Each structure stands twice: as C-alpha cells, then as structure tokens.
Amino acid sequence: MKTKILVVEDEAIIGMDIRNTLLRLGYEVPSVVISGEEAITKVDQYQPQLILMDIQLKKGGIDGIEASKIIQEKWQIPIVFLTAHSDSKTLERSKSTNLFGYIIKPFDEKDLYTTIEIALARAKAESEMRKAWAKEKELNELKSRFVSTVSHEFRTPLSTIALSTGLLEKYKSKWDEPKKQVHFQRIQSSIKQMTNLLDDVLTIGQIESGNMPFNPTPINLTQFLGQMLEEKQDLDQNLHPITYQIEGELSQICIDEKLFRHIFSNLLSNAIKYSPLGTEIKVKLTYSEHQVSITVSDQGIGIPPQDQQRLFEMFYRAENVGTIQGTGVGLSIVKRAVEMHGGQITVDSEVNQGTTFIVQIPLPDQNPDLLSP
Ligand code: ADP
C-alpha cells in the first residue's frame, strides 16, 4: 500500500509541483490544501501517514506551525515543514511542535525523499514505543488487579479455616459429632476453594506463557459431558435440575480432555452459581456436519449488555454479581481453551432473564488442530 501524504501549500504552482514529485516518488497524495484550517479538516477525512506543511501560509488565520500543533494534539501524524528561508526564528518556533523534519525551498527530489523517509521511520519507531508502553501499562494494571483479587480471594477461605479450627479446638470436648462435622466441612470446602483458585492461576500462567500443553485425544464427547454433568449435579446437591439434550451423532472427537474439563466445568459452575435455586439449567450438545456446539443456558441473573463484551477479560466481573463470590478468571480460561481448539465462544444474555453460552468447535475436516495424532 502506498504511503498517503497530505500537502499543505498555499501557492498553487508549487503545490502542484510538490504533488507531482511525490507521485513520482511513489507516494499517494489525496489532496493539496492551501490553509491550516483546511489541513485540519482534511486530516480527519484522509488519515494521511505524513503531512508536508508549508510554514508560511497566507490564506487562513493560522500558519503551518500553529496548524501542526492543533493536528498533533489530536493525531499522531509526522509533519515535515517546508519553508522558503531558513531564518532562525522560524526554526526555533517549529521546534515547539513534535518536529519530524524540515525542508528549505527550493529542494531537490532526493532531499525530499530522504526527509520524508526519515520522518516516517521515526514515526513508526515512536508508535511502536507507544504500543510497548501501553502494553506494559496494561500488564502492570493486570498484575496489580491480580494481586489484589487473589489475595482477597485467599483471605476469605483462610479466615474461615482460622475460625473453624479455633472453635474446634476450644469446644472439642463440649461439641457433639454433627456440630464438629459442620466445621470440618467448612475447612475442607475452604481448602478446595483455594486449590481451585491456585489451579486457575497456574492454568492462566501456562496459557499466557504459551506453555499450556495441547493434547487432543479421541473421546466420546457425549459420555464425557454426561459424566461431568452428573459430578456437578452431585456437588450442587441437585439444587438446580439440569437437562441434557443431544442432537446428531458422533462416536468420537479429538479434544484435549483437560482443557475441555475447564471449559465445561466453568460454564456449568457459573450457570449454577448465577441462578436461583430450583431454576432449570439446560445443556445441549449438537453435532452437525462441520462442527460440534455446546450450549449451556440458565435462568439466572443475566449479564448487562455493557459487560457482555468484556466478560472474557481476565478478572472482569459484571456489575450485577452482588455478593456472589468469584474472581473473574474462569471465563478467560474458557475462552483461551476454546480458541486452542480452533473454536469460538459467544454469549447471549438478558438481565434477570438468563444467560446462554455457546461454544462452537469446528470438526477436523475444517480444523487440522483436532486431527488424531
Ligand atoms: P467469576 O469467578 O466471577 O464467576 P468468570 O470468569 O467465570 O468469573 O465469569 C466472569 C463474569 O461473567 C462473572 O463475574 C459474571 O459477572 C459473568 N457471568 C459468567 N457466567 C454467568 C452466568 N451464567 N450468568 C450471569 N453472569 C455470568
């Protein structure tokens, strides 16, 4: 693609000349404008990669330097100045902009080319640096969010353990067995909660660093999901009726069992966690010619539209979670695990009406990742 250069030059003949030179040099010139004001509107329209700006503009109320300042406040476009003479005052003023280059008229083609290319290279380097900074900033924010979420999530089960062991110690001779059992169970479930969180954190770490093993093996998905569903239902003590519907048929599919466990277990746990007791959860497995899809629907609290886009970001939780516990890690693992299978996940939800997550995995004829090893 050709580099787009906007020319700002108030003398028509010179403007034409510059335009022709630029075209000869292989650039694209969407427009030659004659005033600073016009330059500002055309930048918005054409989004050029560079602007060649005459400093002395007689038309319009502002000169090239002022126009550049306005443009640079809004856009990150390198600007190369053109000027008829090299007076030191103008040069000094041009330095108050983010100065990318300076050419004194009349100039030859080679000078023009070199100045433009240097300015473009510098702009590219600057933009990469900006991206690196932004990434680092994002990473730092993520790290601090991570530390605060994880420490918070550890603190709750730890204080439960501290409390229950303390009580058990104090009342060991006074309490009967069932009373003690309540506290042993609380301790165990707190430990489980912490272990799960640690597992999630380790998994995310592995995925982020690209070290997550991906070992697709042939399994019977219908049975596999059926078993996990029963396990979850037991854990939930049957407080939500879960229905399991299967459409189509396929004896075996190659998937990574461990990752799939993450996917299905998270979606099912969320459906249970975010819906009132007694409401139904539907799981549907559909085999079609080129893909298999799994939908998990609940009749729970739903997800506000503005949060739906961001659910799969690490630590992101919707605003309506209230006191329901969570870390916002699960769905980001799910998304990555689905993507490792070449698939995609989508959500359809309405506040207080329920939520449906749909996972679609293309079958091996479309998806070489899933061929048997
Ligand atoms: P969490 O540990 O918070 O449950 P997840 O990553 O599993 O983290 O989910 C991210 C967020 O997506 C949740 O905090 C919640 O706001 C929303 N969410 C996920 N599943 C459901 C669901 N079935 N119903 C309503 N909200 C959901």
Side-chain angles (χ1 to χ4, degrees), residues 153 200 266-275 296-304 307 310-321 324-334 347 349 354-357:
E153 288 301 313
D200 277 358
N266 266 305
L267 294 180
L268 214 50
S269 301
N270 281 347
I272 292 172
K273 188 163 77 167
Y274 294 107
S275 49
V296 179
S297 319
D298 63 54
Q299 299 166 7
I301 63 170
I303 302 161
D307 292 323
R310 304 193 54 194
L311 289 186
F312 302 101
E313 288 174 25
M314 191 135 42
F315 305 121
Y316 193 85
R317 305 197 70 209
E319 60 168 38
N320 61 334
V321 291
I324 303 172
Q325 284 201 348
T327 55
V329 174
L331 281 184
S332 55
I333 296 181
V334 170
V347 60
S349 180
T355 301
T356 299
F357 280 97

Side-chain angles (χ1 to χ4, degrees), residues 362-373:
L363 288 173
D365 61 340
Q366 314 265 313
N367 188 357
D369 287 350
L370 299 188
L371 282 173
S372 271

Side-chain angles (χ1 to χ4, degrees), residues 17 31 36 61 63 98 131 136 141 153 225 230 241 243-244 249 277 282-284 331 366 373:
D17 186 41
S31 177
D63 74 357
N98 183 6
K131 275 191 213 140
E136 180 159 334
E141 278 169 12
E153 288 301 313
L225 294 190
E230 274 174 30
T243 60
Y244 186 26
E249 209 181 330
L277 301 185
K282 286 188 196 151
V283 175
K284 188 168 160 195
L331 281 184
Q366 314 265 313

